[in-house]
Amino acid sequence: MKPVHELLIDLIRIPSVSALSNVPVIDYIVETLDSKIWNLCRLPYCDTAGIPKQNLLATMNSELDLPIELALVCHTDTVPYPEDWKEAVSPAIDDAKLFGRGAYDVKGALACILRAALEIRGKPRPIALVFTADEEIGCIGAKRLLAEKCISPRFCVVSEPTQLRPVIGGKGYGLGEVVIHGTEAHSALPNLGHSAIYDAALFIDRVKSLAGQLEEEENQAFAPPFTTLNLGTIHGGTAKNIIPGECRMLLEWRPIPGEAPDRVEREVTRILADLKCADPGFAGAFRVLRNDRGFATDSNGELVKLLERICGTSATTVSFGTEAPYFKQLGAETVVFGPGDMTVAHRSDEHVALIELGGATELLVRLIRELCG
Ligand SMILES: [Zn+2]
């Protein structure tokens, strides 16, 4: 049986940035798991660029006619890496640390899950391993699993770098484009036109007020404890002597869990309607590009308490997005958990300490034994 760091070296050697097919990673997982013990179900699809992708469901003892007790979830794609970072897919060990893309996010955890799966003995209650595609570009694989409802575990651990602390809440992610339309005219004759940039300024002022209003609605589990808004980009006008005919902005928001999923969309639409009411010449449109909800798990949940006990740490929350909301919607008590630190992931010296891999594997083995017997 390969040690966990060798499994990780193999996984890092298979490039799986989201733009590429993840099927070679799925093939490796299928080859590693014993098909006499694991029931392996590939769920293929093509992404919007026509690239073949797969989710993989591996279940053990699912024929026992019992609900799946525990699902360990892990995505198989990584963020891109700079061309001159040679260890990215040719991993190197230095000073008891393993360097390579995905060492933390999240092939490190994937190697730990595979190693823990190889150590399962006896006939535990049904357990599932869920390997997803396209997490880094909007949790597309997990969204497909939710739509297909092909699994409903009682407990779910979503792998992300949390420094082995159970994470019981995460903010959501929203993104939308605002377009303000005006009428172009020669700047010497402004009365013949209608400035999209002046109208955008009115809109921006109202968005700033909305941000202030959202700050009042606190959820102290998060830092900062409210939904944040950011008008991140603005592009408008074509020349200094033309009344601008169009202004486009990107608005991003990170909603606290519990907020109505369409809250920001409704508020922005209302602002645009108010401005139109005040000036019939105002013309603005808002298009939501992404609206991923956050998640919050009861801090007294059975899985939360068990992980707190075996890890010796208290539960916490994170500000980054994960696949957890989708598995929560499938009805599972869901916790995000894994080796590594997100501040070291997504960097070009991404690495994991070998000792962390061993520790995380032991915790997973213990978790499986305690929950599934
Ligand atoms: Zn990740």
Side-chain angles (χ1 to χ4, degrees):
M1 209 191 293
K2 276 190 182 179
V4 63
H5 73 273
E6 284 187 21
L7 293 168
L8 178 53
I9 287 171
D10 291 346
L11 287 164
I12 291 174
R13 282 198 178 123
I14 307 169
S16 62
V17 298
S18 313
L20 298 174
S21 175
N22 73 326
V23 175
V25 177
I26 298 292
D27 289 343
Y28 179 83
I29 295 167
V30 166
E31 281 162 28
T32 305
L33 294 173
D34 184 347
S35 61
K36 289 196 282 300
I37 298 174
W38 293 94
N39 188 4
L40 301 163
C41 176
R42 295 176 189 250
L43 300 163
Y45 68 95
C46 279
D47 69 14
T48 51
I51 309 286
K53 300 284 172 77
Q54 286 183 5
N55 288 321
L56 175 71
L57 276 183
T59 49
M60 178 189 269
N61 295 338
S62 49
E63 72 286 356
L64 290 180
D65 212 24
L66 291 170
I68 290 187
E69 190 74 8
L70 172 67
L72 300 176
V73 177
C74 195
H75 65 84
T76 54
D77 59 324
T78 71
V79 289
Y81 46 85
E83 260 176 45
D84 60 355
W85 181 29
K86 65 179 189 323
E87 286 102 356
V89 289
S90 305
I93 294 178
D94 185 22
D95 194 20
K97 295 181 192 125
L98 204 166
F99 288 77
R101 174 54 85 226
Y104 265 169
D105 191 5
V106 74
K107 288 179 171 173
L110 206 167
C112 296
I113 289 173
L114 288 179
R115 176 67 208 201
L118 295 172
E119 291 188 24
I120 296 175
R121 299 279 173 272
K123 191 97 176 152
R125 280 192 286 285
I127 176 167
L129 311 179
V130 184
F131 302 99
T132 58
D134 291 336
E135 187 272 348
E136 297 286 2
I137 52 170
C139 300
I140 293 160
K143 286 174 185 169
R144 291 184 72 91
L145 286 175
L146 174 63
E148 290 158 6
K149 291 200 170 39
C150 36
I151 182 172
S152 65
R154 199 166 151 224
F155 300 112
C156 184
V157 174
V158 172
S159 306
E160 288 294 348
T162 70
Q163 297 175 292
L164 295 177
R165 278 184 80 177
V167 164
I168 56 169
K171 287 186 178 180
Y173 186 84
L175 181 69
E177 187 185 45
V178 183
V179 185
I180 309 289
H181 297 283
T183 308
E184 286 195 341
H186 194 296
S187 61
L189 303 163
N191 55 316
L192 297 181
H194 188 108
S195 168
I197 289 182
Y198 283 166
D199 279 0
L202 298 173
F203 172 78
I204 292 166
D205 198 44
R206 293 287 301 272
V207 167
K208 221 175 142 194
S209 303
L210 172 60
Q213 193 186 321
L214 292 170
E215 279 187 30
E216 315 263 297
E217 298 163 25
E218 295 194 354
N219 178 336
Q220 286 301 337
F222 292 89
F226 47 81
T227 295
T228 54
L229 283 187
N230 182 43
L231 261 174
T233 67
I234 178 163
H235 298 284
T238 49
K240 65 186 188 313
N241 52 359
I242 298 174
I243 303 292
E246 188 180 89
C247 184
R248 287 175 178 266
M249 293 162 273
L250 278 179
L251 177 67
E252 181 202 64
W253 62 100
R254 292 170 189 266
I256 47 174
E259 186 175 271
D262 63 347
R263 171 76 196 279
V264 170
E265 183 183 3
R266 273 191 287 118
E267 295 286 356
V268 171
T269 306
R270 193 172 54 81
I271 290 170
L272 292 172
D274 283 356
L275 292 169
K276 174 101 187 154
C277 207
D279 173 7
F282 181 93
F286 182 51
R287 187 164 63 101
V288 175
L289 303 172
R290 243 177 96 176
N291 194 8
D292 298 340
R293 62 174 82 186
F295 87 104
T297 292
D298 181 356
S299 58
N300 290 311
E302 206 179 323
L303 176 63
V304 177
K305 288 292 164 204
L306 173 59
L307 277 169
E308 283 185 329
R309 178 162 60 77
I310 65 178
C311 300
T313 57
S314 55
T316 184
T317 63
V318 290
S319 54
F320 56 83
T322 71
E323 295 169 314
Y326 309 102
F327 291 91
K328 177 119 205 284
Q329 284 176 71
L330 284 168
E333 182 189 327
T334 302
V335 171
V336 182
F337 175 79
D341 181 346
M342 200 49 117
T343 62
V344 181
H346 295 213
R347 284 189 352 197
S348 51
D349 66 341
E350 185 177 351
H351 60 272
V352 60
L354 299 181
I355 196 164
E356 278 181 87
L357 293 173
T361 307
E362 275 172 34
L363 286 170
L364 288 177
V365 169
R366 210 169 142 200
L367 178 71
I368 293 166
R369 279 201 194 118
E370 297 237 8
L371 279 177
C372 304

